[in-house]
Amino acid sequence: MLPEKDLLILKHLRSNARKTLTSISKETSIPTSTVFDKLRVHEKGIIKKYTSIIDFPKLGYSIRTKIMLETKNKDALLKFLLTSPYMNSLYQISGQFDLMADCIFRDMRELYSFLEELEKLDVSKKEIHHVINEIRREDFLSV
Amino acid sequence: MFQKKDLLILSELRQNARETLTKMSKHTGIPISTIFDKIKYYQGDIIKRHTTLIDFSKLGFNARANIMVKVDRGAREEARKFLLNHHNVNSVYKVSNGFDFLIEGIFRNVKDAEDFVDVLGGKFKLEQTQVYYVVEDVKKEAFMNDSHLLDMVIQNAV
């Protein structure tokens, strides 16, 4: 189990990844040098990435879909999905499907073009859910 | 409409939200002052938040579940408030096609995840439930990340 100090630092970074070490130090009462050292350690393990959460609809990308896929040829499907510019996140999942793809498109035309390409691959089953609204995002362990 | 500059800056932040303005300026050819102004301008609007993606399994949270639920119409707002505040919930989306919510929950183990689903079912009339456990993250928050794919995105921008 991670020491409380480390967890506190991670929580602050979950809330705002651009927070300065000085700010984190002030808010947590952990010396700046300690915050720096802990960050360096965790960037090699627990911390996978710092990223910005973007309001994609405001950028003109109004279609977001969660697509569940079952396939007989996972390699070919993975290759297609990983090279697609529309792919945001991709998970291998358990249950009646193999993969869950979180995809973002400008409009329905792009979505259908993507789905047409998907049809050419060995997809035995698929389920598409459109995201109507984002209620919460990347909130776990946030301050 | 957005310019290529804006998308390049956002892409830099998508790849590394802690990147210094100096490095972003070097990568993009955009002056530091412009980057600073644009980030300030977009903060809280197009940029919802800067966050850190964590390997939760290294913190002892070994079960990540994507839970799809269809809730009785009368209980939907209450369910939304419950999900908005629950400590095991990472993300929640309102979705279409047979379900109301897609919940990404993070738990110490499968039992805790199943207990959460039971609590949901007990509190709100769930008409339908589907649970998928994440076996592996193949890719996470990659949209607008890969610079070679960004060209395609930028081409479509005005």
Side-chain angles (χ1 to χ4, degrees):
Chain A
M1 193 61 203
L2 211 63
E4 206 179 302
K5 271 187 205 174
D6 298 59
L7 205 54
L8 198 52
I9 293 167
L10 290 174
K11 282 183 180 180
H12 278 265
L13 286 172
R14 283 281 286 163
S15 302
N16 181 3
R18 281 189 77 77
K19 219 175 232 189
T20 62
L21 301 188
T22 317
S23 285
I24 298 173
S25 173
K26 267 193 191 136
E27 289 172 48
T28 61
S29 306
I30 300 166
T32 311
S33 53
T34 309
V35 176
F36 176 79
D37 291 337
K38 288 193 181 287
L39 210 61
R40 272 187 83 173
V41 168
H42 294 313
E43 276 173 356
K44 292 176 186 154
I46 291 171
I47 293 173
K48 287 161 117 179
K49 193 172 148 189
Y50 302 113
T51 192
S52 298
I53 295 175
I54 306 275
D55 189 330
F56 295 117
K58 282 187 177 165
L59 214 51
Y61 291 87
S62 53
I63 311 275
R64 186 168 180 185
T65 58
K66 305 278 184 181
I67 308 174
M68 320 290 204
L69 298 155
E70 186 192 70
T71 179
K72 291 186 176 76
N73 188 351
K74 208 186 257 187
D75 289 338
L77 182 57
L78 277 172
K79 190 179 176 187
F80 168 73
L81 291 170
L82 289 172
T83 51
S84 169
Y86 308 113
M87 247 271 309
N88 188 39
S89 299
L90 183 61
Y91 310 102
Q92 273 203 52
I93 56 176
S94 69
Q96 52 177 303
F97 293 97
D98 299 310
L99 297 167
M100 180 162 118
D102 171 22
C103 301
I104 296 167
F105 307 93
R106 192 168 283 276
D107 49 40
M108 290 304 270
R109 191 176 54 84
E110 272 185 9
L111 167 61
Y112 281 113
S113 172
F114 174 84
L115 291 175
E116 270 172 9
E117 289 302 309
L118 211 57
E119 287 297 317
K120 296 174 187 170
L121 301 160
D122 236 329
V123 173
S124 41
K125 203 164 56 167
K126 74 172 179 289
E127 203 173 276
I128 301 168
H129 300 276
H130 294 284
V131 173
I132 296 165
N133 188 25
E134 202 174 272
I135 294 167
R136 227 173 141 177
R137 194 155 154 209
E138 289 299 331
D139 242 359
F140 185 72
L141 283 189
S142 208
V143 164
Chain B
M1 250 333 193
F2 300 95
Q3 297 171 326
K4 185 173 171 174
K5 259 188 229 180
D6 301 294
L7 295 178
L8 281 172
I9 293 167
L10 292 173
S11 173
E12 287 287 313
L13 289 171
R14 288 284 285 164
Q15 289 174 64
N16 180 4
R18 272 187 87 78
E19 190 70 282
T20 61
L21 301 189
T22 313
K23 281 207 175 128
M24 279 193 233
S25 177
K26 271 196 185 129
H27 294 161
T28 61
I30 300 165
I32 294 173
S33 54
T34 308
I35 296 174
F36 177 83
D37 290 339
K38 288 211 179 265
I39 292 176
K40 205 173 170 189
Y41 183 74
Y42 288 132
Q43 198 71 50
D45 183 32
I46 286 170
I47 299 171
K48 285 179 156 184
R49 202 171 105 229
H50 306 290
T51 193
T52 303
L53 301 182
I54 291 194
D55 184 344
F56 295 114
S57 65
K58 293 197 162 123
L59 295 178
F61 294 95
N62 297 305
R64 280 173 52 209
N66 284 310
I67 305 160
M68 306 206 64
V69 295
K70 181 162 175 62
V71 185
D72 175 69
R73 188 177 271 196
R76 248 174 243 166
E77 180 52 28
E78 220 183 304
R80 192 190 71 85
K81 284 180 183 158
F82 175 80
L83 295 170
L84 201 52
N85 295 302
H86 198 282
H87 60 276
N88 283 113
V89 171
N90 190 35
S91 303
V92 187
Y93 304 94
K94 193 160 182 354
V95 294
S96 69
N97 194 13
F99 292 92
D100 294 312
F101 301 109
L102 168 60
I103 306 154
E104 285 178 37
I106 297 172
F107 308 92
R108 293 212 171 272
N109 49 53
V110 171
K111 186 189 173 303
D112 285 355
E114 298 290 319
D115 287 346
F116 172 80
V117 176
D118 288 341
V119 164
L120 258 186
K123 276 183 175 295
F124 313 103
K125 226 167 144 192
L126 297 183
E127 294 173 13
Q128 222 181 329
T129 315
Q130 252 175 48
V131 183
Y132 305 102
Y133 288 97
V134 175
V135 171
E136 192 196 335
D137 276 349
V138 180
K139 208 131 197 209
K140 187 119 191 208
E141 294 294 340
F143 187 71
M144 284 182 69
N145 263 10
D146 295 330
S147 46
H148 68 284
L149 295 174
L150 184 64
D151 288 337
M152 199 161 164
V153 171
I154 285 173
Q155 265 165 39
N156 291 332
V158 169

